[in-house]
Amino acid sequence: MAPNTKVILIRHGQATHNLEDDFQQPDPRLTELGKEQCVKGLRDAFAAGEWEDFQDLELIVVSPLFRTLETAFLAFGKEFRDKKVPFVVLPEFQETSPNPCDTGSSVESLKAAFPSLDFRNCERHDWLTKSHGFYTRTNLGVRATCARKWLFERPEKVIAVVTHSGFLRWLTPQDFPFVENRDKYRNCEYRGYTFAQTTSDDGEGSPFKLVEEHWSVELRKAKRTGEVETPVLTADPSETAAEAIAPPSQGGDGAFDDPEQPTIVF
């Protein structure tokens, strides 16, 4: 691990399934608003200095779903094309639910749409199967730990991760019982993290625990000023994987995994 590695966690821009909560759409694309969010909310904001480590970015990790791949290219495409910052596409960072909207496309179609990217990690994983195996809801806790471990062991000092609201809750489970209204990520929202100095499993994102930086907390609060506060009921993602089994028919943006609670749509 690089000393004091900084990780910026980013949710994708608005996608077509977000408009009417249509979770039967297969691997949705970004809307026009979603594309604008990627440019103005991410790329322009970073270039203007809103995220001061942007200039030192060394790696972009991205979920292999269309909306995250599009988001990554709109936000970081120049850095990638200039060969300054590589992209790594990892199925471990895909969304959590087995719904069509949260299930990816074939490697062949991804290669056709994004010919400049390396999809070798998708070829050696059965990542499109969510009814059984590693990518089921039952294994979300394990998958999130594997994802944090992968980030922890990277040599880069500044890493961006483009992923999904549901999986973000599992990457930083300790955040959501405590932040305001169990705060979920908005489209194209980002938060900055470093790794905690801990190796024990405390049930709240350890080992390899990510802790939000103070500037990130304060920036988010400032951006939320004036928003109408609406209570959001969510499951506690720090529960064990065995307790997180949910019926495959549940809706949501892949963010809800507790069968004892009503479905929450993100």
Side-chain angles (χ1 to χ4, degrees):
M1 182 188 83
N4 302 315
T5 297
K6 294 181 181 293
V7 179
I8 191 93
L9 299 180
I10 303 168
R11 185 190 177 194
H12 60 80
Q14 183 194 72
T16 55
H17 72 301
N18 295 140
L19 294 175
E20 297 181 356
D21 300 330
D22 181 3
F23 308 116
Q24 297 308 304
Q25 288 188 35
D27 201 4
R29 276 57 167 173
L30 295 180
T31 64
E32 289 305 311
L33 174 59
K35 295 175 182 178
E36 183 179 346
Q37 291 170 335
C38 295
V39 175
K40 293 185 177 180
L42 293 177
R43 170 146 203 92
D44 289 355
F46 293 163
E50 190 170 277
W51 172 35
E52 64 179 15
D53 293 307
F54 173 64
Q55 300 300 328
D56 299 319
L57 182 62
E58 296 179 81
L59 181 71
I60 294 102
V61 185
V62 57
S63 154
L65 273 67
F66 258 86
R67 57 188 181 273
T68 41
L69 291 166
E70 288 181 299
T71 297
F73 267 107
L74 287 167
F76 305 110
K78 183 178 186 302
E79 287 70 27
F80 176 79
R81 288 188 294 272
D82 291 345
K83 300 185 184 302
K84 293 180 179 179
V85 185
F87 281 22
V88 175
V89 183
L90 281 182
E92 284 80 359
F93 290 87
Q94 68 174 301
E95 188 54 298
T96 61
S97 89
N99 296 322
C101 67
D102 294 331
T103 301
S105 303
S106 68
V107 172
E108 290 72 21
S109 61
L110 292 175
K111 287 180 176 179
F114 304 96
S116 59
L117 287 184
D118 184 348
F119 290 100
R120 72 180 68 182
N121 292 311
C122 297
E123 292 175 336
R124 59 184 175 83
H125 286 283
D126 191 14
W127 69 283
L128 295 175
T129 301
K130 291 189 170 182
S131 60
H132 60 276
F134 181 71
Y135 295 99
T136 62
R137 280 173 161 163
T138 308
N139 287 328
L140 279 170
V142 174
R143 173 150 70 94
T145 298
C146 289
R148 288 192 300 270
K149 181 176 184 292
W150 189 91
L151 291 170
F152 183 85
E153 293 176 344
R154 294 296 303 186
E156 295 84 4
K157 295 181 180 180
V158 182
I159 302 172
V161 177
V162 184
T163 181
H164 309 264
S165 62
F167 191 59
L168 283 162
R169 292 175 67 239
W170 288 83
L171 275 176
T172 61
Q174 75 281 352
D175 288 358
F176 288 88
F178 306 115
V179 293
E180 59 275 14
N181 290 331
R182 295 193 172 194
D183 204 5
K184 69 182 181 67
Y185 281 68
R186 275 57 164 172
N187 288 119
C188 276
E189 183 173 355
Y190 64 90
R191 303 179 191 179
Y193 288 79
T194 57
F195 284 100
Q197 301 302 312
T198 179
T199 56
S200 63
D201 187 351
D202 61 7
E204 294 185 344
S206 291
F208 319 115
K209 182 175 180 178
L210 287 164
V211 178
E212 188 172 8
E213 294 188 280
H214 179 71
W215 70 263
S216 177
V217 175
E218 294 303 312
L219 178 62
R220 177 155 43 88
K221 288 180 179 178
K223 287 188 173 184
R224 302 290 172 82
T225 300
E227 284 190 1
V228 176
E229 297 291 347
T230 303
V232 177
L233 297 176
T234 61
D236 182 354
S238 64
E239 63 195 355
T240 64
E243 295 170 332
I245 302 172
S249 61
Q250 279 191 305
D253 191 23
F256 194 80
D257 300 290
D258 185 349
E260 302 302 322
Q261 299 289 340
T263 296
I264 303 301
V265 172
F266 293 118

